[in-house]
Amino acid sequence: MAFQNFDARIVTVLATPEASHFRTEPVAVLQTDLAGIIGDRHHGFTRPAGAREPWYPRGTPIRSGRQLSIVAIEELEDIARRLDIPHLEPGWIGANILVSGIPAFTSLPCGARLVCHDGAVLVNEGENAPCRFAGAEIARHFPERPGLDRLFPKAAIHLRGIVASVELAGMIAPGQLTVKIPEQRLWTGGTLL
Amino acid sequence: MAFQNFDARIVTVLATPEASHFRTEPVAVLQTDLAGIIGDRHHGFTRPAGAREPWYPRGTPIRSGRQLSIVAIEELEDIARRLDIPHLEPGWIGANILVSGIPAFTSLPCGARLVCHDGAVLVNEGENAPCRFAGAEIARHFPERPGLDRLFPKAAIHLRGIVASVELAGMIAPGQLTVKIPEQRLWTGGTLL
């Protein structure tokens, strides 16, 4: 597979302080193995199917594909603007990595590699669909705005970042990030654009 | 993630009769768990990096992404035509599934799901790059054609099928196959086409 390189930056890395909630908080470094962030609630090659996979019975063991959640600072600012709130912390929506400098970050193609200069290499598993649980956590910070939780899924569509798996185990810390974009073609049932 | 459905067919399923060689042979059914085909040499969530990942030191444990190899009957016919050979068996190049009815199969987008009607659901991890080992196995069947092994990588480019991971464990057997195509956009450093 031929890749095209694109330089960007990791601004902050975050981990879940308590396993019972998806909320994350900034930490100095994330240590990964091939199943994800060591000690994290999303660690594992597999996970039970949930609301995002309504086509599988809830709880069925499936391939994870959601070891890490990655968001872009520029897109969080867009979401905040759309929601008319002054600020949106990446930790409120459970992000593990906050990046900067990648245009249309959420639309990066599946299979793109994120090479973290502290060691780990991640694979883009695709867009992270916005959900009301994340909306509720945002709304908790703006009690004067009833109904804010329900506005989040629509405001965050194509802006909520991506989910990723670990391809090469290692550390992830703020600093340089190289994005490797695979060859892209649109498949349209036979006609390639 | 919104998917578009496309109906196709599994023609043959194949497994490695001996763990020491990538060659596969038709079987009645493949039984998978979330790490791949049970008992297969490619079974596992991880594998050692090899010639396809020259950017990693050989032998480094990495995420597999290559649990199964899937090829299309139409594309094998194209490769055979380009190589000027009468026939190309999917087992010669180590395929596990032979499909039919999907135009431009090798160019299916990463993240496409293959729903096998006998139970398993697979995720497209991307194009399988042609290699000389597969070329050598083809050439073994045509001893009158010296140098055939070296023609394979070029003849098979964008026609050699895909590699896939198991998302939902289950059986894979000849019969109906539904391909679920994720939303596609071309990422061009900011401008989405």
Side-chain angles (χ1 to χ4, degrees):
Chain A
M1 189 139 54
F3 288 99
Q4 191 191 336
N5 288 351
F6 192 90
D7 284 325
R9 199 161 55 87
I10 295 176
V11 179
T12 314
V13 297
L14 308 96
T16 40
E18 34 179 340
S20 60
H21 199 281
F22 64 82
R23 193 189 305 126
T24 53
E25 282 178 10
V27 291
V29 61
L30 299 174
Q31 185 66 54
T32 67
D33 62 19
L34 293 172
I37 301 168
I38 295 170
D40 187 81
R41 75 198 295 261
H42 290 105
H43 185 268
F45 290 111
T46 68
R47 64 180 172 87
R52 295 173 197 272
E53 303 81 25
W55 45 84
Y56 297 139
R58 185 174 285 260
T60 310
I62 59 170
R63 170 177 179 276
S64 167
R66 303 184 60 84
Q67 294 176 0
L68 295 100
S69 156
I70 314 178
V71 297
I73 199 163
E74 297 86 352
E75 293 184 334
L76 294 192
E77 286 167 4
D78 276 358
I79 299 172
R81 205 159 21 235
R82 287 172 171 214
L83 291 176
D84 194 23
I85 56 175
H87 185 65
L88 201 175
E89 282 290 339
W92 297 348
I93 59 175
N96 301 114
I97 306 179
L98 178 68
V99 299
S100 177
I102 307 169
F105 175 68
T106 295
S107 300
L108 272 184
C110 279
R113 262 61 173 180
L114 283 76
V115 181
C116 307
H117 282 244
D118 287 286
V121 178
L122 311 175
V123 186
N124 178 15
E125 298 264 8
E127 188 167 343
N128 196 357
C131 77
R132 267 191 67 184
F133 297 107
E137 184 59 20
I138 297 170
R140 211 170 58 80
H141 294 268
F142 303 97
E144 71 283 9
R145 290 282 310 277
L148 190 59
D149 59 329
R150 289 190 301 272
L151 298 179
F152 175 70
K154 197 172 164 191
I157 190 82
H158 301 325
L159 296 172
R160 202 238 177 279
I162 64 171
V163 284
S165 292
V166 177
E167 174 165 277
L168 181 71
M171 296 213 300
I172 308 173
Q176 209 193 321
L177 174 71
T178 304
V179 182
K180 297 173 89 73
I181 310 291
E183 218 180 302
Q184 298 174 83
R185 282 174 295 175
L186 292 180
W187 187 92
T188 58
T191 318
L192 296 174
L193 298 184
Chain B
M1 190 140 52
F3 289 99
Q4 194 191 335
N5 288 350
F6 192 90
D7 283 325
R9 200 162 53 87
I10 296 176
V11 180
T12 314
V13 297
L14 309 95
T16 41
E18 34 179 341
S20 60
H21 200 283
F22 64 82
R23 194 189 305 125
T24 53
E25 283 177 10
V27 292
V29 63
L30 298 175
Q31 185 65 55
T32 67
D33 61 19
L34 292 172
I37 301 168
I38 295 170
D40 187 80
R41 74 197 298 260
H42 291 106
H43 184 267
F45 290 111
T46 69
R47 64 181 173 86
R52 293 173 197 270
E53 303 81 22
W55 46 84
Y56 297 139
R58 186 175 284 260
T60 310
I62 60 171
R63 172 177 178 277
S64 167
R66 301 184 60 82
Q67 293 176 1
L68 295 101
S69 156
I70 313 176
V71 297
I73 199 163
E74 298 85 353
E75 292 185 333
L76 294 191
E77 286 168 4
D78 276 356
I79 299 173
R81 207 160 19 238
R82 287 174 173 212
L83 291 175
D84 195 23
I85 56 176
H87 186 64
L88 201 175
E89 282 290 338
W92 297 349
I93 59 174
N96 301 113
I97 306 178
L98 178 69
V99 299
S100 177
I102 307 170
F105 176 68
T106 296
S107 300
L108 272 184
C110 279
R113 261 62 173 179
L114 283 75
V115 181
C116 307
H117 282 243
D118 286 288
V121 178
L122 311 175
V123 185
N124 178 16
E125 297 265 8
E127 187 167 344
N128 196 357
C131 77
R132 269 191 66 186
F133 297 106
E137 184 61 19
I138 298 170
R140 212 169 61 79
H141 296 267
F142 303 96
E144 71 284 9
R145 288 283 309 278
L148 189 61
D149 58 328
R150 289 191 301 273
L151 298 180
F152 175 69
K154 197 173 165 191
I157 190 82
H158 301 326
L159 296 171
R160 202 237 176 279
I162 63 170
V163 285
S165 293
V166 177
E167 174 165 277
L168 181 71
M171 296 214 299
I172 308 174
Q176 210 195 320
L177 173 70
T178 304
V179 183
K180 296 174 88 72
I181 309 292
E183 219 181 302
Q184 298 174 83
R185 282 173 294 175
L186 291 179
W187 188 92
T188 58
T191 317
L192 297 174
L193 297 182

